[in-house]
Amino acid sequence: MTTLQPVPKEPLVNIFGLNHWFGRGDQRRQVLHNLHLTLSPGEMVLLSGPSGCGKTTLLTLIGALRTVQDGSVEVLGEQLRRARKSAQRRVRRQVGVIFQSHNLLRCLTAAQNVQMGADLLPRLTFAQRRQHSIDLLMEMGLEDHCHKLPSALSGGQCQRVAIARALAGNPKLLLADEPTAALDRRTGREVVELLKRMVTQHHCAVLMVTHDPRILDVADRLITMEDGQLTVA
């Protein structure tokens, strides 16, 4: 009998020899040094390291939010070095990003902010996108806050809205920059477990920057960054 071998997973992110600098002339400083990294569907990778070591810079490069200067950064089949704006837009539409600051629009309610992410789902009607947004807020424990403006929410509640917004477009890749930093222990754990379920159910990948030792057990891989270099934790 012939044994079927598992089909290898094509990486969603494939980085080789990535270098990056800030500044010009005498002020030019290298912040990333010859990085190599792959992210595959269905895995959650946690990235830790001291402040200022380059973690957020790496996330913005993967998310096509910053220009790749040197090396290869292939995300969702698109090579981002020297990529055209159309290619960068295609990547951004398939990537969910959670920043340290929630970056919510102050003039929109929680549900409306989340629906900005759901609007990337073209096959859903307006009503379906609105309901999808409300359902996500309910999963975040915010069912009583859907129609509130950010100014009426706590910092932790705003962060949960931002996480729901990133999830709303069913991204293939989620980049999270310390998403539990403003949350209490119980809520932070719930949020990370929700992200873990999404990895399993939607076969996406999550790269999360964190300093929270309480959530390390959910990771498929732990990596650390120091002085712009990656090592296995």
Side-chain angles (χ1 to χ4, degrees):
M1 179 182 295
T2 301
T3 301
L4 295 178
Q5 297 297 321
V7 177
K9 298 178 182 178
E10 288 293 328
L12 297 177
V13 175
N14 196 356
I15 296 174
F16 183 81
L18 175 62
N19 297 286
H20 197 78
W21 293 263
F22 285 144
R24 295 181 179 181
D26 294 339
Q27 301 300 316
R28 195 168 190 248
R29 179 174 64 91
Q30 188 167 359
V31 293
L32 299 180
H33 299 261
N34 194 35
L35 300 191
H36 304 279
L37 177 67
T38 61
L39 298 174
S40 298
E43 71 171 344
M44 174 178 279
V45 178
L46 300 190
L47 172 61
S48 62
S51 298
C53 69
K55 302 185 301 297
T56 299
T57 299
L58 176 60
L59 259 60
T60 56
L61 287 166
I62 294 173
L65 301 173
R66 193 186 299 273
T67 300
V68 177
Q69 299 171 346
D70 182 63
S72 175
V73 179
E74 187 174 325
V75 179
L76 305 174
E78 301 278 1
Q79 175 57 249
L80 293 182
R81 188 181 182 194
R82 302 191 182 96
R84 297 188 177 190
K85 292 188 182 298
S86 58
Q88 294 173 348
R89 286 193 295 269
R90 284 195 296 271
V91 169
R92 292 183 197 125
R93 289 180 67 87
Q94 300 177 80
V95 175
V97 182
I98 306 168
F99 299 99
Q100 285 184 342
S101 56
H102 49 74
N103 290 340
L104 300 180
L105 292 181
R106 293 176 293 178
C107 60
L108 299 182
T109 66
Q112 290 169 335
N113 267 285
V114 176
Q115 190 166 346
M116 291 179 63
D119 286 342
L120 296 174
L121 302 173
R123 297 182 182 179
L124 300 185
T125 66
F126 178 88
Q128 288 171 327
R129 295 196 301 271
R130 173 55 60 89
Q131 188 58 51
H132 178 55
S133 303
I134 292 173
D135 290 344
L136 278 171
L137 288 171
M138 290 178 66
E139 287 193 67
M140 292 289 174
L142 296 173
E143 59 271 18
D144 296 329
H145 304 282
C146 293
H147 304 296
K148 293 182 180 180
L149 295 172
S151 59
L153 301 174
S154 69
Q157 289 169 340
C158 285
Q159 185 69 327
R160 280 185 277 170
V161 174
I163 293 168
R165 180 180 59 187
L167 294 172
N170 294 335
K172 294 181 180 179
L173 174 65
L174 187 65
L175 304 174
D177 195 346
E178 299 198 59
T180 64
L183 306 179
D184 60 40
R185 179 187 181 93
R186 180 181 62 82
T187 304
R189 183 72 189 190
E190 290 173 354
V191 165
V192 172
E193 289 176 351
L194 174 63
L195 296 180
K196 182 67 172 179
R197 288 199 301 273
M198 182 184 172
V199 171
T200 303
Q201 294 170 5
H202 297 273
H203 213 51
C204 66
V206 176
L207 177 60
M208 181 190 302
V209 170
T210 184
H211 289 104
D212 190 346
R214 302 168 299 182
I215 63 173
L216 299 183
D217 60 298
V218 304
D220 297 300
R221 275 195 291 150
L222 301 174
I223 56 178
T224 60
M225 178 178 284
E226 188 167 358
D227 297 328
Q229 297 179 307
L230 290 177
T231 59
V232 178

